């Protein structure tokens, strides 16, 4: 590799452990935009970044602001070796073994809890492209403009002070009230409350999140998995229910996702895949997304 430019550094990670093209666009974060087949731009905190996938590494180019390598390692949870996990899952599950080669390097992100919460409140009855637009408009209107044209994710107080009608004008629909009122409740809990849920049990965090407006079991599980260090959380929506019915014969005759069915699907995945069942679930989820049909040869 040639010498790196100033303000660039490698993550020292192979594509088998981190592949940007699957980790940044499968519905975890909605803030990364592709520049080319191998490059992505986005914002972490107040730093504007360009991430480049090479044949044997990932390079972070800092466009504006400052960021430490450790922040990216934390964001991608690089302390957790992915290859052994996938090998373990593949032994336990034929469907995962079938699709895993096409999704090498798909990791679960460790997002900012407030960004994750608001993003997944926006995900209700929605799809990735529309959620991305909503989150980006939220940042443009309530976040801080950064030197090279990006925007930070707005603070809890900025969203809490917003009027729901303002978000309705940005296309949030009925979710506008949920977003504003959830921010107000988070603010009322005191600074650091969401982050503190990283240190409690999965059940305690899952229950606490569901006290917030717009947060049901699925949104709570998304926040637990993608922001609160709960790798066994299993978000179950109609898409995951379809996977459970089609590939595993679970609750095939059910007409809707009842609380019992929701819990049963989560327990099935946790029993089959173990402590990091949410990571395995995320791989199966990505393999079923229409954007990846070409990758699977479908």
């Amino acid at each position: 590799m040639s010498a790196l430019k100033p303000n660039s550094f490698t993550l020292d990670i192979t594509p088998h452990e981190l592949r940007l093209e699957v980790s940044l666009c499968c519905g975890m974060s909605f803030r990364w935009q592709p520049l080319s087949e191998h490059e992505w731009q986005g914002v972490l905190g107040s730093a504007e970044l360009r991430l480049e996938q090479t044949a044997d590494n990932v390079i972070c180019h800092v466009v504006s602001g400052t960021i430490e390598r450790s922040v990216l390692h934390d964001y991608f949870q690089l302390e957790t070796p992915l290859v052994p996990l996938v090998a373990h899952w593949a032994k336990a599950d034929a469907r995962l073994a079938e699709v895993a080669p096409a999704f090498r390097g798909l990791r679960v992100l460790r997002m900012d809890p407030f960004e994750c919460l608001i993003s997944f409140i926006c995900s209700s009855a929605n799809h990735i492209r529309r959620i991305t637009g909503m989150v980006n408009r939220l940042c443009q209107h309530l976040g801080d403009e950064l030197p090279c044209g990006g925007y930070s994710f707005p603070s809890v107080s900025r969203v809490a002070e917003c009027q729901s009608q303002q978000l309705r004008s940005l296309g949030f629909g009925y979710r506008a009230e949920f977003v504003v009122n959830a921010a107000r409740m988070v603010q009322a809990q005191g600074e650091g409350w969401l982050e503190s849920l990283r240190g409690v049990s999965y059940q305690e965090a899952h229950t606490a999140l569901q006290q917030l407006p717009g947060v049901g079991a699925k949104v709570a599980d998304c926040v637990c998995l993608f922001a609160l260090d709960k790798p066994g959380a299993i978000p179950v929506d109609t898409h995951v229910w379809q996977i459970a019915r089609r590939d595993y014969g679970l609750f095939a005759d059910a007409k809707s996702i009842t609380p019992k069915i929701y819990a049963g699907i989560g327990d099935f995945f946790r029993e089959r895949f173990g402590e990091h069942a949410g990571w395995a679930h995320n791989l199966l989820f990505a393999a079923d997304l229409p954007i990846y049909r070409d990758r699977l040869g479908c």
Side-chain angles (χ1 to χ4, degrees):
M1 181 184 295
S2 57
L4 293 176
K5 297 178 181 179
N7 296 323
S8 298
F9 55 83
T10 64
L11 298 190
D12 300 329
I13 198 73
T14 69
H16 278 67
E17 286 288 340
L18 171 61
R19 195 175 293 274
L20 300 177
E21 66 199 56
V22 288
S23 297
L24 296 181
C25 65
C26 69
M28 289 183 281
S29 172
F30 304 95
R31 299 266 281 142
W32 294 96
Q33 305 297 325
L35 296 175
S36 69
E37 184 180 356
H38 303 294
E39 291 183 293
W40 296 76
Q41 68 178 7
V43 175
L44 275 183
S46 58
E48 295 174 279
L49 308 177
R50 178 168 58 86
L51 300 181
E52 177 186 357
Q53 186 88 56
T54 71
D56 58 3
N57 215 325
V58 170
I59 303 173
C60 175
H61 305 280
V62 183
V63 179
S64 78
T66 60
I67 195 167
E68 299 292 331
R69 180 187 281 109
S70 60
V71 175
L72 274 297
H73 272 248
D74 181 73
Y75 183 72
F76 288 111
Q77 303 199 72
L78 298 185
E79 77 285 353
T80 300
L82 181 61
V83 171
L85 283 176
V86 176
H88 173 70
W89 301 330
K91 290 179 180 178
D93 188 83
R95 173 60 179 166
L96 193 140
E98 178 186 5
V99 302
F103 291 89
R104 291 188 175 96
L106 171 56
R107 305 188 69 84
V108 167
L109 304 180
R110 189 177 192 251
M111 297 173 59
D112 171 79
F114 184 64
E115 177 180 339
C116 189
L117 171 68
I118 298 303
S119 297
F120 282 98
I121 290 176
C122 293
S123 74
S124 175
N126 223 337
H127 54 76
I128 291 175
R129 182 179 297 177
R130 190 155 180 254
I131 302 163
T132 299
M134 292 167 66
V135 170
N136 285 335
R137 290 192 296 275
L138 182 73
C139 295
Q140 290 165 11
H141 283 78
L142 297 180
D144 294 325
E145 186 172 3
L146 301 175
C148 295
Y151 294 84
S152 66
F153 197 86
S155 65
V156 175
S157 61
R158 193 76 62 85
V159 180
E161 293 165 0
C162 179
Q163 297 301 313
S164 59
Q165 187 55 43
Q166 183 179 355
L167 297 188
R168 280 187 172 272
S169 72
L170 298 178
F172 279 64
Y174 68 87
R175 305 169 194 85
E177 283 77 11
F178 291 152
V179 167
V180 171
N181 290 329
R184 290 171 180 170
M185 286 188 66
V186 169
Q187 186 178 48
Q189 292 284 348
E191 185 177 357
W193 174 71
L194 276 176
E195 289 78 3
S196 75
L197 297 180
R198 286 174 168 166
V200 304
S201 69
Y202 160 70
Q203 193 57 59
E204 185 175 345
H206 194 250
T207 299
L209 289 169
Q210 290 184 77
Q211 307 310 306
L212 301 173
V215 179
K218 180 255 183 177
V219 171
D221 270 321
C222 288
V223 180
C224 281
L225 180 60
F226 303 137
L228 297 182
D229 301 339
K230 310 293 186 265
I234 308 292
V236 179
D237 58 8
T238 54
H239 191 74
V240 174
W241 182 32
Q242 178 182 349
I243 294 171
R245 297 171 71 185
R246 184 194 64 216
D247 297 334
Y248 301 101
L250 300 179
F251 307 107
D253 298 327
K255 303 300 183 184
S256 62
I257 305 175
T258 65
K260 181 179 179 180
I261 288 174
Y262 190 101
I265 292 173
D267 289 343
F268 172 84
F269 278 110
R270 282 184 281 269
E271 182 176 352
R272 176 159 292 212
F273 296 113
E275 181 181 358
H276 284 76
W279 290 44
H281 147 281
N282 199 50
L283 194 159
L284 293 169
F285 175 85
D288 227 53
L289 292 174
I291 59 173
Y292 292 134
R293 283 176 182 158
D294 290 344
R295 179 179 289 272
L296 290 167
C298 305

